[in-house]
Amino acid sequence: MSIAAEANWAPSPDTTRGQPSQLSSDPKGERIAYASNKSIFLRSIDHPEQSTQYTGHKVSTTVARFSPSGYYVASGDASGNIRVWDCVGEGATKGEYHIISGRINDIAWDGDSQRIIAVGDGKERYGHCITADAGNTVGEISGHSSLVTSVSIRQQRPLRAATVSEDKSLVFYHGAPFKFNTSLRSLHSNFIYGVAFSPDGAHIVSVAADKKIWLYDGKTAEPKIQIGEGEHKGSIFGLSWAKDSTKFVTSSADQTVRIWDVESQKLAHSWRLGSEATVSVPDHQVGVVWPAGRGDDLIISLSLSGDLNYLDQRSAKPTRVLPGHQKNITAVSITGAVDDKTKDLTLWTGSFEGRTCAWDIATGSGWRLNANSHTNYVSALSTTPTSKKVYSAGYDDTLRSIDADTRKFNEKLIKLGAQPKGIAAGGPTSNRVFVATTSGIEIYEDGTTKIGFLSTHYGPTSISVAERKAGTFEVAVGGDDHILRIYQLSLGSSELVLSKEVGPSSSAISALSYSPNYLYLAAGEASGKINVYSTEGYELYTNRWSAHTARVACIAWNSSGTLAASAGLDTSICVWSTDKAHLGRRIVEKNAHKDGVNGVVWAGPHKVISVGADGAIKVWKVAG
């Protein structure tokens, strides 16, 4: 057997209210680069389900910028380091340089792709100028008294650079090496969030929290004129130039993205994101990029919610919106016919911040479920093989249901008695839902009506259910006392009856999963070990599924019950066989997700989909 990556559905960019988020495009206008969690993603503009992930940073990433040559990316993180890496080949790191003792806010390349200026929030200094290949000093950033928010370098000679800061000043530099030339402090009355030279080097533009836009001479930094006064009603966070230098685009907290004509110094076009009638904080526009190298004048803006909006001047609304997760994906499930005739499959994911999304597996298109969603950590998702409902449990101590056809939450939510640890939906003839909480097992009919509760003297850690006969269930529950317990629920009854105890295991049982043919029960442990039991008497079938080195987070079976995939916090995905001749064999994909794999499902006989702490969704092809 073998496993190979087939697709990487990137998470949304990181955003913070009241702060700009930087977007960058390559010279051909084919990809955008942005920071998300501890990774940098290079995402195809025309095929956004295709992306490349760079995982070299050890802490949260903050910014990524393509070089003018298009061969390299410079990316920064919260610890003050930047990395220069190959974005055309395999992503090899060319250099790592420590710039400041705090967060990197922005990075700029010179026109030769040889020099870099990185700025941010440091203690000794607010930025530095280095060579991209060796990190040698080629100037200094000075003249500011507070953190620097943005930087830009003129792409023509003579080289010039500009930085802006929360001290309300723009500082102009001559180079190279880059040296302080002049400081402009009286034009903006609040934090300055963006600065950019025009592609032809003739102009500089700055934007700020005071809602003002200032235009300067590109060679001398002499202020020319303030434009668009009174147009933006909120802080302006983003700024990007058109490739012909005749226009530029801005994005603002007033939920608008606006195009400005340099010659007439007037507004040329405008979009408003979200509702026209009400203020919507998630629709604050905190970043924007006007990709060069394209013939369609596409503009991409970033909402505070993380949505990437494709804007066309021929349309009043975005032509495409790319939703996604911004945090650790903590739960996953699938609806549709997962068999040799796989069709109409929908993937469901939940994440740390309470966000729930649905994904068309055939195309990679996604939708975010907004109304009636969880308010924080989604701990589990589950569905029955034939159900049109998806059930979710979260750390807001609620059980909720989703209509799979409409992709909407049911308005009715169930308040659980304690924090949920797992959820398991019944078999093909029943809509029973079993929720393992820290205090016991709660039983619901159709996820809406509570019909039973079993108080436990141990803390349940995982749960799985098998409908052995119509309306008759076996419920497997793992406990923090290392014991696996099997309960029976008879037809017409609402009382769980203990029928078997197995163990104790070497560590807490962290994941349970019955095979679809109900022949096996796989039990994953916090130590990384997986035991497989025969459901006839629950005798040990094999204990040779040992490859993970950390907690097993999830186990999923293919439709025939012959293969199982497991996900672990050791960042690995393993695929196992129940064939007695191959019980000890497995295929392992290490470093599948940065910082751990949290969930895995089968989407056909040869396709596995995984989710992880990096917020990404990855599709894998299993062969053999």
Side-chain angles (χ1 to χ4, degrees):
M1 293 190 298
S2 64
I3 185 170
E6 192 173 90
N8 185 346
W9 303 346
S12 296
D14 285 340
T15 58
T16 302
R17 185 174 181 180
Q19 292 184 9
S21 295
Q22 308 296 348
L23 300 177
S24 174
S25 68
D26 66 6
K28 296 180 180 179
E30 296 175 347
R31 297 181 293 175
I32 57 172
Y34 58 78
S36 183
N37 296 300
K38 295 181 182 179
S39 301
I40 299 295
F41 288 88
L42 308 183
R43 193 169 186 177
S44 170
I45 294 175
D46 296 317
H47 303 282
E49 73 279 2
Q50 301 173 7
S51 66
T52 302
Q53 181 179 5
Y54 178 75
T55 58
H57 290 275
K58 297 179 176 61
V59 298
S60 297
T61 54
T62 56
V63 60
R65 295 285 191 186
F66 283 101
S67 67
S69 68
Y71 292 112
Y72 299 101
V73 169
S75 54
D77 60 36
S79 67
N81 292 321
I82 69 167
R83 284 173 169 258
V84 179
W85 45 281
D86 173 22
C87 65
V88 176
E90 298 181 355
T93 301
K94 301 298 182 181
E96 180 180 8
Y97 315 112
H98 185 71
I99 303 298
I100 55 176
S101 56
R103 186 182 192 272
I104 299 291
N105 287 329
D106 200 5
I107 295 171
W109 290 81
D110 74 345
D112 300 325
S113 299
Q114 294 180 351
R115 303 171 186 86
I116 291 172
I117 298 178
V119 298
D121 185 11
K123 294 181 180 179
E124 298 85 8
R125 60 189 182 190
Y126 295 113
H128 199 45
C129 316
I130 62 171
T131 57
D133 57 351
N136 297 325
T137 297
V138 286
E140 62 179 15
I141 299 300
S142 59
H144 289 294
S145 59
S146 185
L147 67 89
V148 179
T149 54
S150 185
V151 60
S152 184
I153 299 177
R154 188 171 186 264
Q155 300 296 289
Q156 299 79 17
R157 293 182 183 275
L159 292 180
R160 299 289 186 262
T163 58
V164 292
S165 167
E166 288 191 356
D167 64 9
K168 311 170 190 175
S169 70
L170 181 149
V171 175
F172 192 65
Y173 305 86
H174 285 187
F178 292 99
K179 295 181 180 179
F180 176 90
N181 176 257
T182 187
S183 176
L184 304 172
R185 294 184 175 272
S186 60
L187 301 179
H188 287 286
S189 59
N190 209 333
F191 297 163
I192 309 178
Y193 285 133
V195 65
F197 280 89
S198 60
D200 63 7
H203 308 286
I204 310 172
V205 170
S206 65
V207 296
D210 59 6
K211 312 166 193 173
K212 295 179 181 179
I213 303 170
W214 273 95
L215 191 67
Y216 312 80
D217 182 89
K219 290 185 179 180
T220 65
E222 179 184 353
K224 290 185 174 181
I225 192 171
Q226 179 190 344
I227 64 176
E229 185 172 6
E231 292 286 354
H232 277 300
K233 308 301 181 184
S235 298
I236 307 174
F237 292 118
L239 164 67
S240 184
W241 281 90
K243 60 184 176 182
D244 61 5
S245 300
T246 62
K247 297 176 182 178
F248 62 91
V249 61
T250 57
S251 62
S252 169
D254 62 8
Q255 303 173 218
T256 65
V257 177
R258 301 178 187 269
I259 296 177
W260 306 90
D261 184 273
V262 174
E263 183 176 356
S264 67
Q265 298 157 7
K266 293 183 179 180
L267 179 68
H269 197 84
S270 178
W271 297 269
R272 180 180 172 89
L273 284 297
S275 172
E276 295 283 349
T278 60
V279 174
S280 172
V281 174
D283 289 309
H284 286 187
Q285 299 303 295
V286 296
V288 68
V289 63
W290 198 329
R294 298 181 65 90
D296 56 3
D297 268 347
L298 176 70
I299 292 172
I300 301 175
S301 73
L302 174 62
S303 300
L304 181 62
S305 64
D307 288 352
L308 291 166
N309 310 293
Y310 285 34
L311 303 175
D312 188 321
Q313 296 181 50
R314 295 166 294 184
S315 173
K317 294 294 182 182
T319 57
R320 188 171 191 176
V321 177
L322 303 180
H325 294 282
Q326 292 182 292
K327 301 294 183 183
N328 179 357
I329 301 179
T330 53
V332 63
S333 189
I334 193 169
T335 55
V338 186
D339 52 28
D340 291 339
K341 299 179 181 179
T342 299
K343 60 180 180 178
D344 300 329
L345 292 181
T346 301
L347 186 77
W348 304 85
T349 53
S351 55
F352 181 86
E353 76 273 36
R355 184 173 297 181
T356 304
C357 295
W359 307 87
D360 184 335
I361 292 178
T363 64
S365 300
W367 302 267
R368 186 171 71 251
L369 285 65
N370 289 322
N372 304 308
S373 60
H374 291 282
T375 58
N376 54 30
Y377 189 103
V378 180
S379 59
L381 291 166
S382 183
T383 184
T384 59
T386 58
S387 175
K388 290 294 185 179
K389 285 188 176 181
V390 179
Y391 304 100
S392 67
Y395 277 10
D396 53 5
D397 295 348
T398 62
L399 171 67
R400 303 170 190 249
S401 61
I402 304 167
D403 186 301
D405 291 330
T406 62
R407 297 189 292 270
K408 292 183 179 180
F409 274 100
N410 190 322
E411 292 183 1
K412 182 179 180 181
L413 61 88
I414 302 298
K415 190 66 177 177
L416 299 172
Q419 189 177 85
K421 306 299 288 185
I423 184 173
T429 67
S430 173
N431 287 329
R432 296 280 175 91
V433 179
F434 302 83
V435 183
T437 72
T438 54
S439 62
I441 311 300
E442 300 186 21
I443 310 170
Y444 293 87
E445 185 68 39
D446 201 29
T448 57
T449 305
K450 187 174 182 179
I451 61 173
F453 173 68
L454 174 68
S455 178
T456 58
H457 63 275
Y458 60 92
T461 55
S462 53
I463 189 170
S464 185
V465 62
E467 187 177 13
R468 302 299 294 272
K469 299 177 183 178
T472 302
F473 299 92
E474 284 187 358
V475 182
V477 180
D480 57 6
D481 58 357
H482 303 187
I483 301 292
L484 170 63
R485 294 173 175 85
I486 309 299
Y487 295 92
Q488 301 285 341
L489 183 66
S490 302
L491 181 65
S493 173
S494 59
E495 183 178 351
L496 290 172
V497 178
L498 181 64
S499 63
K500 184 79 174 181
E501 289 189 351
V502 181
S505 59
S506 59
S507 59
I509 300 170
S510 54
L512 288 169
S513 182
Y514 278 102
S515 62
N517 52 18
Y518 304 130
L519 294 179
Y520 308 106
L521 173 65
E525 300 180 9
S527 63
K529 185 178 180 180
I530 300 175
N531 291 318
V532 182
Y533 300 94
S534 169
T535 55
E536 294 298 327
Y538 288 91
E539 298 297 326
L540 184 66
Y541 180 72
T542 183
N543 60 359
R544 297 177 65 188
W545 290 13
S546 299
H548 290 290
T549 58
R551 181 169 70 88
V552 178
C554 180
I555 303 170
W557 295 85
N558 66 353
S559 59
S560 62
T562 57
L563 297 175
S566 59
L569 294 191
D570 58 358
T571 74
S572 297
I573 297 172
C574 300
V575 179
W576 315 86
S577 173
T578 56
D579 187 341
K580 287 189 176 181
H582 304 100
L583 285 178
R585 294 176 58 186
R586 76 272 187 182
I587 53 174
V588 181
E589 181 67 27
K590 296 182 178 180
N591 301 315
H593 288 268
K594 188 173 179 64
D595 290 343
V597 189
N598 293 331
V600 63
V601 295
W602 287 81
H606 305 293
K607 184 180 289 187
V608 169
I609 300 179
S610 62
V611 299
D614 54 9
I617 301 170
K618 299 188 178 182
V619 183
W620 309 88
K621 183 178 181 180
V622 178

